[in-house]
Amino acid sequence: MDTTPTRTPERDAYYKKIGASNLAPLWEVLHGLILKEPRSPALPAHWRYGDVRPYIMEAGTLITAKEAERRVLVLENPGLRGQSKITNTLYAGLQLILPGEVAPAHRHSQSALRFIVEGKGAFTAVDGEKSIMAPGDFVITPSWTWHDHGNESREPMVWMDGLDVPLVGLLDAQFAEAYPTDSQPVGRPSGDSLARYGSGLMPVGYETKSITSPVFNYPYTRTREALETMRKAEEWDTCHGLKLRYVNPLDGGFAMPTIGTFMQLLPKGFKTIPYRSTDGTVFSVVEGKGRTVVTDATGKTHTYDWGPRDTMVVPSWLWHRHEADDDAVLFSFSDRPVQSKLGLWREMRGNEQSMPSGRA
Ligand code: GTQ
């Protein structure tokens, strides 16, 4: 069943003939089209913040946020160079805003998340509300909402952008436009959406057509407190430690329709057992040191020793496991909501003894 039929002069002549009519024989390509299991062109990768930060700061001397529109270093998957992708479906980058700068307002059909890496006090304005950001905060820019970023603090601010650009591009469903002015008018106080929708309460009669969470900023202080309180129950998942999913309080679904977001705690000394899933996943380290071991498609093992602010990507269906040297907190995101809705998402848990190798 795995072999492609042999080529013969007659067959080749026939392929050439039908090729002129934009036709091609399926049997020549079938085994590359219908795979037994995922074979992502993406590779596992690790960006140490200490290596990347000098380049980010250097970008700040070369171009302003306004001229760049978004001054971002794209985290390019080494297996997908030149495509502005960190996985096959997702984009990620590190964005720098210096004190006093503004990244002008625009909107697009791609959904975006910001995960704050360094600095404190800059804002993202979404739909008339300024969200002041601090490290570890998860901030959402829903599809087609006006957004601009600014830094009224005295320090540089760096955050990771995660967008569904490749996915929306695959669907040829993208639109974008610029706002007439750099900044949008602010009509609601900071923290309004969190107070309204993120406190286990909801304004009576509230209705929305949006499929994105109405909470724009999930502050790290609350997330960390939840993890810290929950750890006392000592209910550790062997593959994930203690892993929480960000939710839309309206329906308990993912906070964003196309991107799933998670925060997990691995207590000091914890070693997970191997795990893999079909959603290629981007990790950003918030706290602690440790390592992640990933087995790539060729069976080769990659060990990433990580620390705070590092980024990693584990592509679809590759076995990986984590070890924490300190209490470690990892943020992650993937296209899981899309795969789940389409009935495609799968996961597999390894065993205690060993890292399953290759693609058994
Ligand atoms: O902040 O709106 O990294 O539109 C890439 C595209 C950030 C943004 C990116 C964008 C943005």
Side-chain angles (χ1 to χ4, degrees), residues 284-303:
S284 180
V285 182
V286 194
E287 292 179 31
K289 288 203 167 80
R291 69 200 51 76
T292 297
V293 183
V294 191
T295 306
D296 72 19
T298 67
K300 190 170 165 243
T301 294
H302 305 256
T303 300

Side-chain angles (χ1 to χ4, degrees), residues 75-122:
L75 297 162
E76 287 211 308
N77 188 288
L80 305 166
R81 293 302 309 273
Q83 300 179 53
S84 305
K85 294 175 172 182
I86 192 159
T87 69
N88 232 347
T89 52
L90 297 172
Y91 158 101
L94 291 169
Q95 177 157 185
L96 169 69
I97 306 248
L98 293 170
E101 286 192 318
V102 171
H106 67 195
R107 65 176 175 179
H108 37 70
S109 32
Q110 292 89 351
S111 297
L113 67 84
R114 328 280 164 201
F115 187 70
I116 315 316
V117 171
E118 176 182 341
K120 200 168 186 290

Side-chain angles (χ1 to χ4, degrees), residues 6 37-38 69-70 100 106 176 219 232 278-279 290 316 336 349:
T6 20
E37 58 178 20
E69 191 166 336
R70 295 295 183 263
H106 67 195
K232 297 185 183 121
T278 51
D279 52 326
S316 167
R336 191 176 309 179
R349 301 167 73 96

Side-chain angles (χ1 to χ4, degrees), residues 114-132:
R114 328 280 164 201
F115 187 70
I116 315 316
V117 171
E118 176 182 341
K120 200 168 186 290
F123 69 84
T124 288
V126 176
D127 255 356
E129 178 181 339
K130 265 187 184 176
S131 215
I132 309 293

Side-chain angles (χ1 to χ4, degrees), residues 208-220:
T208 178
K209 288 203 176 85
S210 173
I211 54 172
T212 303
S213 169
V215 179
F216 293 143
N217 185 342
Y218 293 72
Y220 187 58

Side-chain angles (χ1 to χ4, degrees), residues 151-216:
N151 188 347
E152 292 162 349
S153 84
R154 303 174 77 172
E155 6 166 5
M157 181 102 183
V158 178
W159 62 77
M160 178 172 66
D161 289 317
L163 286 88
D164 53 10
V165 174
L167 182 67
V168 177
L170 177 71
L171 300 170
D172 283 332
Q174 66 275 67
F175 294 90
E177 63 181 330
Y179 196 76
T181 52
D182 281 353
S183 304
Q184 63 179 298
V186 173
R188 292 192 293 146
S190 290
D192 186 69
S193 76
L194 183 65
R196 256 170 217 268
Y197 313 113
S199 310
L201 299 159
M202 201 65 68
V204 171
Y206 173 71
E207 278 178 44
T208 178
K209 288 203 176 85
S210 173
I211 54 172
T212 303
S213 169
V215 179
F216 293 143

